[in-house]
Structures are given as structure tokens and as C-alpha cells.
Amino acid sequence: MWEVFLSPDQWRHSRDEVGFSPAGGGPPVVPESFWDHPPLQCALERRHMGQVIREFRLHPHHGRRPLSQERVAEWVGVTQSQLSRVENGPPIIHLDRLIQLATILRIPARKLWYVLPEPSPSRRSPPAVGVHVTPQTPAPPHPPPADTSSPLLDSPLDIIQRMQSIGMSSMDQCTLAELESVVADAVDNYERVGPAAIAPALVEQRRWVHQSLLERHPPRIGVRLFTLAAHMSGVLASIALDLQSFRMARSYASEAFQLSDMVGDPHLSAWIRGTQSLIEYYAQRYDTALEFAREGLRIAPSGPQTIRLKANGEARALARLGDKRGVDAAVEQAIQLHEDLPYSPDVSSSLALGPYCSARIHGNAATAYLNLLEPDRVLLHGEQALVVFDPMRVQGSRALTRLDMATALLQADHPDPPHAAHIAMEALSIEGAAGFAAVTRRAEEFLIAAAPYRDVAEISVVEQKVHDLVLPALTDSARKGIAGDWT
């Protein structure tokens, strides 16, 4: 917001006091082609007057040196710092300010996304001195319409401004598409680069999108914008979970679900319920995790999230609750649903809005059967998952699946601690894997299972590796004030 913004009359008065004139200190007269410069045209299409001012200043028409913010700020009656906030902040939505700036910069009306008002009668030139107008003066060649404005009705300008107030939006289809692609890239690359690399930019973009939510938008923009905000918050919920903050994960997920419910998107709501199920699973609230998964299935019983909710939500929670028959049914249903798909990617992101790939079904099945103490089935499903995860470099899942298999080797009828330790070290050596809290948690569970074999040299090496990975994470969590979230 601007602390100071002069009206057109105040600006003209202050300009006259300091000696500005259009020919001197005011904006230069520019050719019509000036407004067709691509960056300036793009700023106009985005309906962001601050960006229009910036591109006006930087236009090559001005020569080798662009116009300074200080100079342009004087034209519009604000300080340099205020103009900087206008250029880099949220779009201006107040019509009077938009009209003022367009008038000062002499932006052609054809380029604007709003209508400039006609000059009011009080500002028209008065009759020449000495001219006496009498009732007998002949009527002009084109007399005005017979009907006149009524104090009981709106003025035409009121109606125009009212329409602009509900239609004006800083968000357009092009910008929305760009933001949606940013989130899609974050989802696709999540397990390759890790949550810490994605979080800062996504948090900043989510805050900017929130400012846009507060504006008025046409329905086609509004629904798409709220859907985008819900998707962003859902991804941030998963990031918060992997950064060891249950509190923030729950808050983001709750926000995401409310937004998805507002737009009435059952598939998006089911996706968020799957994320909430995962949060509660790692919080060791397995009954709640199961409830979230099953509610997601009720919301969208035949949607793209069904496989995820069965394998990642229902099967794993049931395993922790000791329901072997329920796990078998959930895994079998997930596999059958995948086989019935007309098409499935070789590997899907763990945060994908589309259906899970077969590798993710097998990876989650391995985790479920590990908790049921069925090592043979863990190894079977784990091997099928790694066939896909390894060549695709899905780092988090590669590490998690290996840790499940390593622990299963300790549960076998004939335990193999050295081999188990070798697989565990492979998991912990995968680049970026330690950035996922689930990996360090799973590594600690491996050490619990390996406690009877601590005198085995290979197990001791794994123990030291886990200590080296977990201690910095705990220290960093304490520094951020979120260490207690994992209790």
C-alpha cells in the first residue's frame, strides 16, 4: 500500500509549485509504437500497473540509461521507496489510482484493462468572455438524447466502475498456467532434490497467491486460483512433515482441505486426505491415519487417488494396527486398480494428483508387511519397487525401500546382519536421502531391530552413520524450535 497518494488535482498543484511541466520534468511524449514493446505489453496484459511503470522506466526508447525511480516517483507524487513497493508489490486494485497513473503516463486507452472516465462538465472550457447565450440560440447539429440522468439511478460511470470492481483481477490465465507448472515441477522433482530445496520458493509463491485470493476474480479465474492455492498448501504440508514439523504439516493440510472444499473438487480433497493420513501415520496415530484414508475413499471412491489411499493410507495403517487380512485386501485392491488403468507412468511422484504407479504400490506394501513381520513379502515387494526407483533416481523411495528390506533380513528365520547392514549403508549413502525425515526415522527403526547384533562390525558402522545423519537434523530442528513436533 502507498502511504501517500495524491489525487490528480493535488498532483497538478504540487507539480506547479515545484515547477514541473509536461515539456520539462514530466513524462516524455512517446510514439504509439512505444506501447507495443513486448515487456511493457506483457505488464499491461497482467493488469499490474506497478510492472507497467517499471517497464515504462526501462524502455529502450529512453536511451542507454533507463529512467530512475526517483524521477518517475516525482511525476506521480510519491517517494522513491513508495514507488519501489508499487513496482514490486501486489497489483493496485483501486480504480481512482489506476486512472491517475494512466493519465500521468499518457497510456493509450486501448491498452488499458479498465475504462477512463469522460471529463466531467465542470472541467470543460467555460464560454468565452462577453458572449451572451440566449434561449433563442440555435440547437447544435447533434442534440443530446432526450433522457437525462436521474438522482434515483446510478450514473453510467458508477455502472462501469461496478463492473470493473468484480471483473478486475491481477491474475490471468497465462500467470495461472505458469504458477501451476511451478507446483507441478516441485511435485515431480520432490524426491530428487528434497524438501529443503523446494520449500523457500514455494512458501514465497504461496504467500503471493494468498494476496491474489483477496481480490475479486471472474469465476473461471477464481476457481482455478483457489485450486492452485489448495494444491500449494497440500505440497507444503508434505514438505513440513519431511522437515519434522507436525504442527505446520497439520496446519497446511487443514488449509488445503478447506480451500479444496470451497471449490468442490473431490479428487483434490481426497489427495489432501491422503496427505493427512500420512502425517498421522508418522505421528503414530494409526487409528486417525486410517480414518483420513477411508474418508478420502468416501469422498472420491473411484478417483485417481484411490490407489494411493489404499496402499499408502489404508494398508500401512492397518499393518500398524495388526490387521493382516485388511492389509492383504488393501494391497490386492491397489494392484487390481492399477491393472485396470488404461495408462500409468513408469514412476509417479509420491505427491502426484494422478494415480500411483506400480512401484509405489510395491514400496508401500513392503512397508506394511514389514510391520506385520513378514520378511519374505517385504523382500518380494521391495525388489519390484527398486527395479523402477533405481534407474529413475527417486532418492527418497530408493532409501526407504532399502531400509525396509534391510530390516526384513534381520526378521528372517535365518537373520543375515552383515548383508542387512550392507543394504542399510547403501540406503543412507544415496545422495539427498537424509533430507527426508522418514529416512532417518526408518534408519532408527533398523537399529532397533539390529540391537541384538550390535557386536557385528557392519552393524556398528551403520549405527555411526545414522548418528552422523540424525544428530545434525535434531540440532537443526531444535534451532528452528520444532524439535518437539516429532514426539
Side-chain angles (χ1 to χ4, degrees):
M1 298 297 292
W2 294 7
E3 290 87 347
V4 178
F5 202 109
L6 305 180
S7 69
D9 289 339
Q10 291 172 320
W11 179 83
R12 280 190 292 272
H13 178 68
S14 63
R15 177 199 62 186
D16 294 341
E17 285 183 340
V18 297
F20 287 152
S21 66
V29 177
V30 297
E32 281 292 314
S33 59
F34 178 95
W35 304 102
D36 296 326
H37 184 53
L40 184 55
Q41 183 71 23
C42 185
L44 288 161
E45 290 175 356
R46 290 178 183 273
R47 301 183 177 186
H48 195 304
M49 185 58 78
Q51 295 178 9
V52 171
I53 295 173
R54 183 177 63 224
E55 298 304 333
F56 182 99
R57 290 194 306 101
L58 303 178
H59 200 293
H61 173 81
H62 304 308
R64 296 175 61 183
R65 299 185 62 181
L67 300 176
S68 67
Q69 283 187 332
E70 291 84 354
R71 184 176 178 186
V72 176
E74 289 178 343
W75 299 343
V76 298
V78 298
T79 65
Q80 180 273 328
S81 61
Q82 289 168 343
L83 182 63
S84 177
R85 287 195 290 274
V86 170
E87 290 186 359
N88 299 294
I92 299 169
I93 62 174
H94 300 292
L95 183 61
D96 58 340
R97 297 180 179 181
L98 292 168
I99 291 172
Q100 176 191 2
L101 291 169
T103 303
I104 292 171
L105 297 178
R106 305 188 188 94
I107 302 176
R110 63 182 175 82
K111 293 288 187 179
L112 297 172
W113 59 95
Y114 53 93
V115 179
L116 295 175
E118 294 291 334
S120 61
S122 61
R123 294 186 182 179
R124 293 174 183 165
S125 301
V129 176
V131 176
H132 179 65
V133 181
T134 66
Q136 287 75 29
T137 301
H142 301 286
D147 63 306
T148 58
S149 297
S150 168
L152 301 177
L153 302 174
D154 294 316
S155 71
L157 181 58
D158 291 333
I159 296 173
I160 291 172
Q161 291 178 345
R162 187 162 64 219
M163 291 303 297
Q164 289 173 341
S165 70
I166 64 171
M168 191 180 303
S169 169
S170 65
M171 191 67 63
D172 55 29
Q173 301 282 3
C174 179
T175 304
L176 274 170
E178 291 176 3
L179 288 168
E180 288 165 347
S181 67
V182 167
V183 181
D185 289 343
V187 168
D188 291 341
N189 295 320
Y190 187 71
E191 287 192 66
R192 294 185 179 90
V193 301
I198 292 174
L202 192 60
V203 167
E204 181 179 356
Q205 289 157 358
R206 178 63 184 85
R207 289 172 179 168
W208 187 81
V209 166
H210 178 71
Q211 295 301 316
S212 296
L213 291 177
L214 303 179
E215 301 175 9
R216 297 182 178 92
H217 302 280
R220 68 181 185 279
I221 296 290
V223 171
R224 194 171 166 188
L225 182 62
F226 272 75
T227 300
L228 171 66
H231 193 187
M232 281 182 164
S233 293
V235 174
L236 285 168
S238 293
I239 289 176
L241 177 62
D242 274 319
L243 293 178
Q244 306 191 42
S245 179
F246 280 113
R247 186 182 304 113
M248 290 306 302
R250 291 188 179 107
S251 296
Y252 277 127
S254 177
E255 176 182 55
F257 187 82
Q258 290 182 40
L259 289 167
S260 70
D261 192 51
M262 290 173 68
V263 298
D265 187 334
H267 302 306
L268 182 59
S269 295
W271 174 76
I272 296 164
R273 285 300 193 225
T275 300
Q276 290 174 306
S277 176
L278 186 64
I279 293 169
E280 300 309 323
Y281 175 86
Y282 279 108
Q284 301 179 19
R285 300 174 181 175
Y286 305 119
D287 286 327
T288 306
L290 182 61
E291 289 175 8
F292 273 128
R294 287 179 169 170
E295 185 179 350
L297 290 167
R298 286 193 295 270
I299 293 172
S302 60
Q305 288 301 303
T306 306
I307 297 175
R308 179 193 180 205
L309 291 165
K310 283 288 181 182
N312 182 270
E314 208 172 54
R316 301 205 321 176
L318 287 170
R320 289 288 189 174
L321 296 171
D323 186 349
K324 180 183 180 302
R325 184 175 297 177
V327 172
D328 289 341
V331 171
E332 290 172 6
Q333 290 167 10
I335 292 173
Q336 186 61 54
L337 286 167
H338 181 267
E339 291 177 352
D340 293 341
L341 291 174
Y343 167 78
S344 174
D346 291 336
V347 63
S348 60
S349 169
S350 60
L351 305 180
L353 288 173
Y356 258 17
C357 63
S358 61
R360 295 214 172 272
I361 298 173
H362 291 299
N364 282 281
T367 302
Y369 286 117
L370 181 68
N371 293 319
L372 290 173
L373 303 179
E374 296 195 22
D376 290 342
R377 301 185 75 172
V378 175
L379 296 173
L380 177 64
H381 286 287
E383 288 171 357
Q384 293 183 70
L386 290 180
V387 167
V388 176
F389 289 148
D390 279 346
M392 300 299 292
R393 297 187 61 79
V394 187
Q395 309 297 62
S397 295
R398 293 175 68 200
L400 290 170
T401 302
R402 278 179 167 79
L403 287 168
D404 284 345
M405 295 172 69
T407 305
L409 287 172
L410 299 175
Q411 296 176 348
D413 292 338
H414 302 285
D416 189 348
H419 189 196
H422 174 73
I423 295 176
M425 283 298 294
E426 280 186 349
L428 299 175
S429 300
I430 292 174
E431 182 181 0
F436 296 89
V439 172
T440 55
R441 286 286 296 269
R442 204 76 59 88
E444 291 172 329
E445 291 174 356
F446 169 82
L447 291 179
I448 293 172
Y453 312 103
R454 295 187 65 180
D455 57 338
V456 177
E458 292 87 348
I459 296 295
S460 298
V461 173
V462 175
E463 188 173 21
Q464 183 60 48
K465 181 71 171 180
V466 173
H467 180 271
D468 293 342
L469 292 175
V470 173
L471 185 60
L474 292 177
T475 302
D476 188 54
S477 297
R479 179 178 58 80
K480 295 176 180 178
I482 58 176
D485 286 348
W486 281 95
T487 58

